[in-house]
Amino acid sequence: MEHEKAVKEALNALYHHPDDTVRVQADRWLQNFQGTLDAWQVADNLLHDSSSNLETLIFCSQTLRSKVQRDFEELPPGAFQKLRESLTTLLKKFHKGPPKVRTQISIAVAALAVHVPAADWGDSGIVSWLRDEMNMHPEYVPGFLELLTVLPEETFNYKIAARPDRRRQFENELTSQMEAALSILTACLNISELKEQVLEAFASWLRLRHGIPGAVLACHPLVHAALSSLSSDPLSEASVNVISELIHYTASPSSGGISAQTPLIQVIVPQILSLKAHLRDSSKDEEDVKAIGRLFADVGDSYVELIATGSDESMVIVHALLEVTSHPEFDIASMTFNFWHSLQLALTKSSLGSEASIEAERNRRQHIFRPAYESLVSLVGFRVQYPEDYQGLSYEDLKEFKQTRYAVADVLIDAALILGGDTTLKILYMKLLEANAQTGNNFQEWRPAEAILFCIWAISNYVSVVEAEVMPQVMALLQNLPQQVQLLQTACLLVGAYSKWLNAAPASVSILPSIIRILMSGMGTSEDCAAAAALAFRHICDDCRKNLCGYFEDLFTIYCMAINGGGGYKVSAEDSLNLVEALGMVVTELPLDQARSALEKLCFSVASPLEEAAKEDLDKKHARELTVHIDRFAFLFRYVNHPEAVAAEINKHWAIFRVIFDARPWDMRTMESLCRACKYAVRTSGRYIINTIGEMLAKIQFHYQQHHQPCFLYLSSEVIKIFGSDPSCADYLKNLIETLFAHTTCLMTSIKEVTARPDIADDCFLLASRCLRYCPHLFIPSPIFSPIVDCAVIGMTVQHREACHSILTFLSDVFDLEKSVNEEQFVRIRDSVIIPRGATITRILISSLAGALPSSRLDTVTYTLLALTRTYGLQAVGWAKQSVSLIPRTAVTETEATKFLQGLSDVTNGADVNSLIGHAEELSDVCRRNRTVQELVQAALKPLELNLVAPVS
């Protein structure tokens, strides 16, 4: 009684107290209460109590549903009968509502059926029990119908803490009782006020995809009831759901597939096609039109392989789908977009047969569908047009409009793949001319023209670089466009997208200056337009670099104006990196002497502001004042592919790098930017940078020990990759490895410390994996190898995704050492470290499968366990047996444990990761089925109890 009173008071506070703090406390108390054992009885009592108000009933029904789903194992053996009786009584009590309460009770009964074998419900399971209850108590049929509806839905509800074996049994039990369920529903059809509810229940059972023959369903009363309801006004939502599920059912392999379901398809499809006229009926309710559009889309998506044959019958469906695509409401039209994509894939894919016959059939089909895709291009283009009130669009509306444009772009790409890009371009160009003619041939109404230019941009990858009929006219038109922001932005994007065409055009050299003028105009219009222009500039310099080699000075002038804000340019610091990359590509194409001179100019323009800043107090500078320039260095070092020239520049400007390293080693943003620039200098220059590398590594070692910046570790990874096998670098690389790893292992002596420094853990173990691959001769024999393995074991259960992945990948690389290093001495050292720790590592890996790590890490953990087992064979299986034996048999049965261990044993006989992953998933599901079981398993496996052979030094 005290608990019941406390629940009522808490609910009253939650819904009615004026103080937010009190409401939050009440909510927290109620959530905690739902996890208690007392919640069973209290929720049950209050639901049976006639004085309980609606708030109490809803909360208690949700609580009882949740308890049955997640905590059924809390109840003593034999509690099933009493619980079923109570739930049945409640289902009868609330058969007329409130609907929310009735639904929760129905789900609770369905969840109970998932937990309890069919035999406990009587001879034939819950469906027969339900039929008997309905026969004995016809007045409660609405409540029982809802239970019949949710039963199949709960088959795939993983909130229910059932074991995987039991879940499969329940699915089999339901599919075996499908005919009985449909007979109950058929009987209920006679009660006219229940028709909608009956059809919803039928749709729910169809989702089981059980193989009832098409001929049986084709003449089934439930199917005919659904089809006859399609003519109702307003349209029956339940009937639409049934027909939709029938369509999916006929295409499902488990139902026998389309060939086995032909009789049913021949009944359904004509009925749907008869609704085509409603698509253009302005008097029809929009929701009804949307439902009809959904049915047409379902037909197209499900029968696309049949439609792709190009038969007369399939073309009727295609024309109906074009009708849906032409609907003015985008939400309705876009339902067909997936069909056009699937049809394109079906028409362009390869199939069995001789190459000549395959090509002939593909051409035949594509010829049949060309008119449909030509119509499609015309139908979707207008949807990307800016609305008249575009300036008043909210952020969310603008975001939705952009999503619409990209969805239409995907459809145009599908059309281009069938028609060819050049043909699609011609269709769009004719639309552009029409739009221009309608506005007096001067683009004063810019929106239609911008929309078509956007469409031309969308298909750029599919227009041939030798297209000579339309693209020259498009490029000429671009030069006469009015200076409207959105129009100019799209023009800039289009220019960049057709950079390969510009490079191949016969008049490329004469066209490029006028094109660059368009981009310069874009850079001075708005920030968004400048961003598009900078991106286009990068594409053009990439693809037309040979033609632009003679214009470096002009390009450099544009670059300087853009990054300095001269000439009214509005290029942001981030977008300016596109310009840096662009010039880097052009410099790459120059001969070495000219490239040196050009790169020197570029680097000088970048270094000058840094040197000016260094004359002042660098400590007081905002990081962005430095990183904007350092990032430009990084892009130059990355994209100028002249190793000697880059090495000369990093050597020349090392002094300013050194000053920044020493002045701001505490500043993560500046150090990340600086290390990125150094990384690309090392990657591009290779051996040419060897004179600078020693001092660079010295800076890394010194500052890492004081400031622990993760970026020092990833820069070291790049150095190891380039110089790891170089004998002349062995001494200082060995010193680097030992210094960095020794300091890192001191930082991370517990899982708490690893959790506090996930970035360091991530970069540390990426570096360790690099060392295994590129300099095992320096890493494995070193005294730091054993401590870094211990550090990995400590961090295996870190929750940070990237850090965890790096740690597990490093351990996998250690176990798989023979794949990369086939030297006996290294394998012996590896074994001397791993074997004493094998039982602990295995226990933590199994604990990770069982809930110590999120289920999203299952594949990575499984592969690590596979690598361990593959290397250590039956010894690893023995470690796994020790670990699994710790888990109580109430959590994991002997059969479930044996299945998992057998999967590991199979690995020792050559099975791959795919065979093991199934067993790992099953063990994971069993151990995570509810919080109580998961906590029990983790308490048994103790993943944080390390039992390491030696302390981490």
Side-chain angles (χ1 to χ4, degrees), residues 772 780 785 789 811-819 824-837 867 871-872:
L772 282 175
I780 296 174
F785 180 64
V789 170
L811 287 172
S812 299
D813 291 342
V814 172
F815 305 148
D816 286 336
L817 187 63
E818 288 91 337
K819 287 185 176 181
E824 186 62 34
Q825 58 166 326
F826 297 155
V827 172
R828 279 201 306 272
I829 296 169
R830 188 271 316 269
D831 290 347
S832 71
V833 173
I834 297 301
I835 290 174
R837 296 161 175 77
T871 298
Y872 294 104

Side-chain angles (χ1 to χ4, degrees), residues 726-737:
D726 189 331
S728 67
C729 302
D731 288 341
Y732 59 67
L733 288 183
K734 185 173 186 295
N735 188 42
L736 173 77
I737 290 168

Side-chain angles (χ1 to χ4, degrees), residues 212-228:
I212 299 177
V216 173
L217 280 175
C219 55
H220 200 285
L222 289 166
V223 174
H224 284 280
L227 289 171
S228 64

Side-chain angles (χ1 to χ4, degrees), residues 279-280 289 323-333 382-383:
L279 291 168
R280 293 202 171 188
V289 177
E323 194 82 32
V324 179
T325 307
S326 69
H327 196 277
E329 285 295 324
F330 180 75
D331 285 349
I332 295 171
F382 77 94
R383 297 188 186 279

Side-chain angles (χ1 to χ4, degrees), residues 600-913:
E600 185 177 7
K601 270 183 118 169
L602 285 165
C603 286
F604 180 78
S605 73
V606 175
S608 294
L610 288 173
E611 289 167 354
E612 285 300 314
K615 292 175 184 176
E616 303 169 26
D617 189 349
L618 278 177
D619 271 0
K620 294 179 180 176
K621 294 285 183 185
H622 190 277
R624 189 64 182 148
E625 294 178 67
L626 302 176
T627 59
V628 66
H629 305 295
I630 300 170
D631 287 346
R632 288 170 186 159
F633 261 130
F635 269 60
L636 287 172
F637 295 158
R638 182 178 184 181
Y639 291 106
V640 173
N641 191 16
H642 281 292
E644 291 178 62
V646 170
E649 290 306 310
I650 187 67
N651 290 337
K652 184 184 300 179
H653 296 289
W654 175 249
I656 188 63
F657 278 51
R658 183 197 303 123
V659 168
I660 299 170
F661 264 125
D662 290 338
R664 298 176 68 95
W666 46 267
D667 176 10
M668 180 179 285
R669 284 185 64 189
T670 302
M671 288 301 102
E672 283 183 346
S673 180
L674 201 59
C675 286
R676 194 180 304 117
C678 290
K679 178 181 80 170
Y680 288 124
V682 170
R683 185 179 291 179
T684 301
S685 302
R687 294 279 304 150
Y688 292 105
I689 203 177
I690 199 152
N691 293 333
T692 309
I693 203 75
E695 190 176 350
M696 189 185 291
L697 296 182
K699 289 292 176 194
I700 289 170
Q701 287 173 232
F702 177 74
H703 290 306
Y704 181 69
Q705 293 177 76
Q706 293 179 302
H707 300 284
H708 318 138
Q709 299 287 7
C711 56
F712 295 148
L713 296 170
Y714 83 61
L715 175 53
S716 301
S717 291
E718 195 64 33
V719 173
I720 291 293
K721 182 179 177 182
I722 303 297
F723 296 103
S725 58
D726 189 331
S728 67
C729 302
D731 288 341
Y732 59 67
L733 288 183
K734 185 173 186 295
N735 188 42
L736 173 77
I737 290 168
E738 292 183 359
T739 302
L740 295 180
F741 285 148
H743 195 70
T744 303
T745 55
C746 290
L747 290 175
M748 298 190 293
T749 58
S750 68
I751 188 65
K752 185 178 179 181
E753 290 172 338
V754 178
T755 301
R757 295 183 172 93
D759 293 342
I760 289 180
D762 182 19
D763 287 317
C764 168
F765 289 101
L766 285 173
L767 173 59
S769 287
R770 281 265 171 101
C771 291
L772 282 175
R773 182 175 179 184
Y774 293 104
C775 56
H777 59 291
L778 302 178
F779 181 39
I780 296 174
S782 78
I784 201 61
F785 180 64
S786 176
I788 205 70
V789 170
D790 283 342
C791 191
V793 176
I794 288 169
M796 283 167 70
T797 55
V798 67
Q799 298 302 298
H800 188 275
R801 184 179 59 195
E802 285 80 11
C804 181
H805 184 266
S806 294
I807 289 168
L808 292 175
T809 300
F810 165 68
L811 287 172
S812 299
D813 291 342
V814 172
F815 305 148
D816 286 336
L817 187 63
E818 288 91 337
K819 287 185 176 181
S820 55
V821 182
N822 197 15
E823 290 195 31
E824 186 62 34
Q825 58 166 326
F826 297 155
V827 172
R828 279 201 306 272
I829 296 169
R830 188 271 316 269
D831 290 347
S832 71
V833 173
I834 297 301
I835 290 174
R837 296 161 175 77
T840 299
I841 292 171
T842 306
R843 175 169 52 80
I844 297 172
L845 286 171
I846 290 174
S847 179
S848 299
L849 290 176
L853 287 175
S855 55
S856 58
R857 314 267 168 84
L858 204 62
D859 286 358
T860 308
V861 175
T862 303
Y863 181 80
T864 308
L865 189 59
L866 172 86
L868 181 70
T869 308
R870 205 160 42 193
T871 298
Y872 294 104
L874 293 176
Q875 191 173 18
V877 175
W879 295 332
K881 282 181 181 175
Q882 290 174 26
S883 299
V884 172
S885 69
L886 299 172
I887 304 173
R889 286 295 164 257
T890 53
V892 176
T893 65
E894 193 67 45
T895 303
E896 289 162 343
T898 302
K899 272 187 184 178
F900 173 71
L901 293 170
Q902 183 57 52
L904 277 180
S905 297
D906 292 343
V907 169
T908 65
N909 297 318
D912 63 7
V913 70

Side-chain angles (χ1 to χ4, degrees), residues 327-639:
H327 196 277
E329 285 295 324
F330 180 75
D331 285 349
I332 295 171
S334 61
M335 289 177 180
T336 64
F337 286 5
N338 188 64
F339 164 73
W340 298 114
H341 176 65
S342 300
L343 181 60
Q344 174 267 120
L345 292 176
L347 295 174
T348 54
K349 73 177 182 181
S350 299
S351 53
L352 298 174
S354 68
E355 193 171 323
S357 64
I358 290 169
E359 187 64 22
E361 176 61 13
R362 189 185 295 130
N363 290 339
R364 181 192 73 80
R365 291 185 177 195
Q366 290 186 17
H367 178 74
I368 291 171
F369 287 96
R370 283 182 73 86
Y373 277 95
E374 286 171 359
S375 299
L376 183 65
V377 173
S378 299
L379 288 173
V380 298
F382 77 94
R383 297 188 186 279
V384 303
Q385 185 170 309
Y386 272 92
E388 289 185 25
D389 62 342
Y390 74 95
Q391 289 177 315
L393 291 178
S394 66
Y395 172 80
E396 286 302 320
D397 288 340
L398 193 58
K399 185 178 175 182
E400 187 177 332
F401 175 61
K402 287 180 179 178
Q403 289 171 342
T404 297
R405 281 164 73 98
Y406 289 123
V408 169
D410 288 340
V411 175
L412 290 168
I413 288 169
D414 290 323
L417 285 164
I418 299 300
L419 303 172
D422 295 5
T423 301
T424 310
L425 176 65
K426 285 179 188 174
I427 296 170
L428 291 170
Y429 182 64
M430 294 308 296
K431 292 282 181 186
L432 182 63
L433 293 181
E434 287 172 20
N436 194 21
Q438 288 171 7
T439 58
N441 293 316
N442 57 6
F443 293 110
Q444 287 309 302
E445 174 48 62
W446 62 271
R447 293 182 306 113
E450 188 279 336
I452 296 162
L453 290 177
F454 176 87
C455 294
I456 293 174
W457 164 83
I459 62 164
S460 58
N461 288 340
Y462 305 92
V463 174
S464 66
V465 294
V466 296
E467 202 285 329
E469 184 180 344
V470 174
M471 278 313 299
Q473 298 179 67
V474 172
M475 290 296 173
L477 270 175
L478 294 182
Q479 297 169 44
N480 300 313
L481 293 176
Q483 297 292 298
Q484 198 282 332
V485 176
Q486 282 75 20
L487 185 58
L488 189 54
Q489 183 179 345
T490 301
C492 289
L493 287 172
L494 189 150
V495 164
Y498 282 89
S499 55
K500 287 183 172 62
W501 180 88
L502 283 166
N503 182 54
S508 176
V509 176
S510 61
I511 295 173
L512 281 173
S514 60
I515 293 300
I516 288 175
R517 280 195 294 275
I518 294 172
L519 301 184
M520 290 169 68
S521 179
M523 287 183 205
T525 303
S526 72
E527 281 196 17
D528 286 345
C529 200
L535 181 64
F537 195 82
R538 190 194 82 190
H539 285 311
I540 288 172
C541 288
D542 184 9
D543 290 318
C544 307
R545 58 178 79 180
K546 288 185 179 178
N547 290 330
L548 291 170
C549 281
Y551 297 93
F552 175 77
E553 292 299 331
D554 297 327
L555 296 174
F556 181 70
T557 301
I558 295 170
Y559 163 77
C560 289
M561 289 171 64
I563 65 169
N564 295 324
Y569 285 1
K570 295 179 171 62
V571 181
S572 69
E574 186 177 350
D575 292 320
S576 73
L577 294 175
N578 280 321
L579 303 179
V580 179
E581 183 180 338
L583 265 71
M585 292 166 174
V586 174
V587 172
T588 295
E589 208 57 37
L590 296 172
L592 181 56
D593 288 345
Q594 293 178 40
R596 278 179 171 151
S597 174
L599 182 58
E600 185 177 7
K601 270 183 118 169
L602 285 165
C603 286
F604 180 78
S605 73
V606 175
S608 294
L610 288 173
E611 289 167 354
E612 285 300 314
K615 292 175 184 176
E616 303 169 26
D617 189 349
L618 278 177
D619 271 0
K620 294 179 180 176
K621 294 285 183 185
H622 190 277
R624 189 64 182 148
E625 294 178 67
L626 302 176
T627 59
V628 66
H629 305 295
I630 300 170
D631 287 346
R632 288 170 186 159
F633 261 130
F635 269 60
L636 287 172
F637 295 158
R638 182 178 184 181
Y639 291 106

Side-chain angles (χ1 to χ4, degrees), residues 306-337:
L306 275 179
I307 293 169
T309 60
S311 65
D312 292 344
E313 295 87 349
S314 69
M315 295 313 293
V316 174
I317 298 171
V318 169
H319 290 135
L321 285 161
L322 280 171
E323 194 82 32
V324 179
T325 307
S326 69
H327 196 277
E329 285 295 324
F330 180 75
D331 285 349
I332 295 171
S334 61
M335 289 177 180
T336 64
F337 286 5

